[in-house]
Amino acid sequence: RGGGGGGGDDEGKKEAGKGGSKVAASVLELQRRLPKARVLYASATGCSEPEHLAYMERLGQWGKDSPFGADFANFLESLEARGVGALELLAMDMKAGGMYLARSLSFKGAEFNVEPTRLSKQQREVYDGVAEFWARAASEIKEAKARLAVA
């Protein structure tokens, strides 16, 4: 009834929305039976494998009032069709909403080399266009924040 809580990780819950494991079905059923209970989701894969999000209904990423409709399958199909960039945007959106926290991997022991290269005229034009877009976007965001008095 009240404000009890529950938690769990994504082990064994893969593809809960696609007839996945018994654990996944149980987690979904528990959430549905206890609509007021607080839930903590923990995932080792996070947004990198969106099918693992199927049991995380309370994130609000799909459902009645979402752009993906009531069906997790629509949400998953939309992400998969848009590729890695969509997964990055999903992670950013969930982080901004306070519903997602991800650890960063360490670069300890990583090595890299700087390899100067000459860009073709077409590559420079693409780079310049992208840089101009992001500069304009940053300016628009700054202006919008000022208008809304957002810190």
Side-chain angles (χ1 to χ4, degrees):
R1 285 177 206 246
D9 67 14
D10 64 359
E11 186 62 37
K13 297 174 192 73
K14 184 176 182 182
E15 298 185 14
K18 295 182 180 179
S21 72
K22 289 182 182 179
V23 173
S26 297
V27 170
L28 287 170
E29 180 66 21
L30 184 62
Q31 291 175 106
R32 291 171 183 164
R33 286 187 180 199
L34 302 169
K36 293 184 179 182
R38 287 171 268 169
V39 177
L40 168 70
Y41 301 119
S43 172
T45 56
C47 292
S48 64
E49 296 183 41
E51 66 271 12
H52 290 201
L53 299 172
Y55 72 99
M56 299 182 185
E57 289 185 326
R58 295 197 186 173
L59 292 177
Q61 296 298 317
W62 60 94
K64 179 182 165 196
D65 296 324
S66 83
F68 302 104
D71 193 321
F72 176 76
N74 290 340
F75 170 77
L76 183 60
E77 182 180 314
S78 180
L79 285 177
E80 289 175 341
R82 288 167 176 78
V84 175
L87 299 177
E88 291 292 332
L89 289 173
L90 173 64
M92 288 171 38
D93 179 62
M94 291 193 330
K95 283 181 181 183
M99 64 181 89
Y100 183 68
L101 175 68
R103 290 181 38 188
S104 297
L105 298 177
S106 168
F107 289 106
K108 183 178 180 182
E111 297 179 19
F112 67 94
N113 295 317
V114 176
E115 298 287 337
T117 186
R118 295 181 77 77
L119 297 178
S120 69
K121 181 179 181 199
Q122 182 183 10
Q123 289 170 321
R124 280 192 309 277
E125 289 171 355
V126 169
Y127 178 87
D128 290 345
V130 170
E132 182 180 320
F133 168 82
W134 283 112
R136 191 170 57 248
S139 175
E140 295 290 332
I141 290 169
K142 186 177 181 179
E143 182 180 332
K145 286 173 69 175
R147 286 182 182 182
L148 296 171
V150 175

